[in-house]
Amino acid sequence: SAVISQKPSRDICQRGTSLTIQCQVDSQVTMMFWYRQQPGQSLTLIATANQGSEATYESGFVIDKFPISRPNLTFSTLTVSNMSPEDSSIYLCSVVGGATEAFFGQGTRLTVV
Amino acid sequence: QQQVKQSPQSLIVQKGGISIINCAYENTAFDYFPWYQQFPGKGPALLIAIRPDVSEKKEGRFTISFNKSAKQFSLHIMDSQPGDSATYFCAASNDYKLSFGAGTTVTVRA
């Protein structure tokens, strides 16, 4: 399985600011995704991070709020922009390895105050 | 609208007992069904997964049963141990994108 490192592991941010989360994988992967897990809730797919092109966003998520970069096959960033308390969540990077297995990083726990 | 429905929301089982979690889906395009285990403060860890052409898969104490016609699948945890106390999520994949169930918090009493 792929080893996924996310930074930061947690942060407390002021409303109106932005936070960039990094995801580093120890091997090249084709598919990378970003998920959100709101407090006590399940996981929801934010977007697919496409290498060399714009990310593909799911319904309810937009690029202006969650810009994503993926400069190569091992690295991606997710920015949470103009944060509000409703953005307080765990943000998780996921990669698909092998045939279809999806693996997750430890997540970034974001609190917006 | 949740594409994967999971029940129960929580369950308590005695050590050595069997935990059963059920999931149902509607989208027949789903082609891969994993289960994840999540401990507090950690990311979800892949536990076991199944494809719709298989009716059952067993790995150690964990078994997935899959009913394609009913569009239902379930996780059985045999001989439950206190270390199994966690939140379990079922999921379904379409084009590598996962839709998750709401999660089941399992508590194993010693």
Side-chain angles (χ1 to χ4, degrees):
Chain A
S1 64
V3 177
I4 304 167
S5 301
Q6 274 189 243
K7 291 180 181 179
S9 59
R10 59 177 61 227
D11 207 341
I12 300 173
C13 299
Q14 296 291 321
R15 67 177 66 201
T17 63
S18 298
L19 176 71
T20 296
I21 302 167
Q22 298 180 0
C23 176
Q24 179 74 55
V25 190
D26 69 341
S27 59
Q28 293 187 342
V29 292
T30 305
M31 312 294 293
M32 290 182 77
F33 303 92
W34 287 97
Y35 288 80
R36 180 176 73 181
Q37 186 174 24
Q38 294 177 299
Q41 302 295 316
S42 185
L43 289 81
T44 301
L45 178 63
I46 297 172
T48 304
N50 299 309
Q51 194 263 329
S53 64
E54 195 169 279
T56 305
Y57 291 84
E58 299 300 307
S59 176
F61 298 96
V62 295
I63 187 172
D64 290 347
K65 178 66 176 177
F66 298 102
I68 290 171
S69 78
R70 188 170 175 200
N72 56 53
L73 293 176
T74 64
F75 185 79
S76 178
T77 67
L78 168 74
T79 299
V80 186
S81 303
N82 188 26
M83 290 183 285
S84 67
E86 292 70 36
D87 295 320
S88 297
S89 295
I90 301 172
Y91 292 87
L92 295 139
C93 173
S94 173
V95 303
V96 174
T100 49
E101 295 86 358
F103 303 100
F104 286 83
Q106 292 298 296
T108 296
R109 185 178 295 269
L110 171 63
T111 302
V112 183
V113 297
Chain B
Q1 180 184 354
Q2 197 141 32
Q3 294 197 60
V4 181
K5 291 182 166 49
Q6 182 173 347
S7 63
Q9 184 176 9
S10 63
L11 67 90
I12 299 172
V13 62
Q14 293 295 320
K15 180 181 175 181
I18 302 173
S19 302
I20 301 174
I21 305 169
N22 300 300
C23 287
Y25 65 97
E26 286 298 325
N27 187 352
T28 56
F30 289 138
D31 58 4
Y32 175 71
F33 300 85
W35 286 87
Y36 287 87
Q37 180 189 57
Q38 187 176 34
F39 294 104
K42 302 292 186 182
L46 179 63
L47 196 59
I48 187 173
I50 199 167
R51 291 197 172 278
D53 54 348
V54 176
S55 61
E56 186 174 280
K57 183 175 181 179
K58 182 177 181 180
E59 289 185 0
R61 296 185 293 108
F62 301 92
T63 300
I64 300 178
S65 297
F66 190 87
N67 186 329
K68 187 175 180 178
S69 61
K71 290 184 282 188
Q72 296 175 346
F73 58 111
S74 61
L75 176 70
H76 291 60
I77 307 174
M78 313 299 286
D79 187 26
S80 296
Q81 300 297 311
D84 296 332
S85 296
T87 300
Y88 293 80
F89 293 96
C90 63
S93 174
N94 178 24
D95 197 21
Y96 303 104
K97 300 176 184 179
L98 292 171
S99 296
F100 283 84
T104 298
T105 300
V106 174
T107 302
V108 182
R109 294 255 168 90

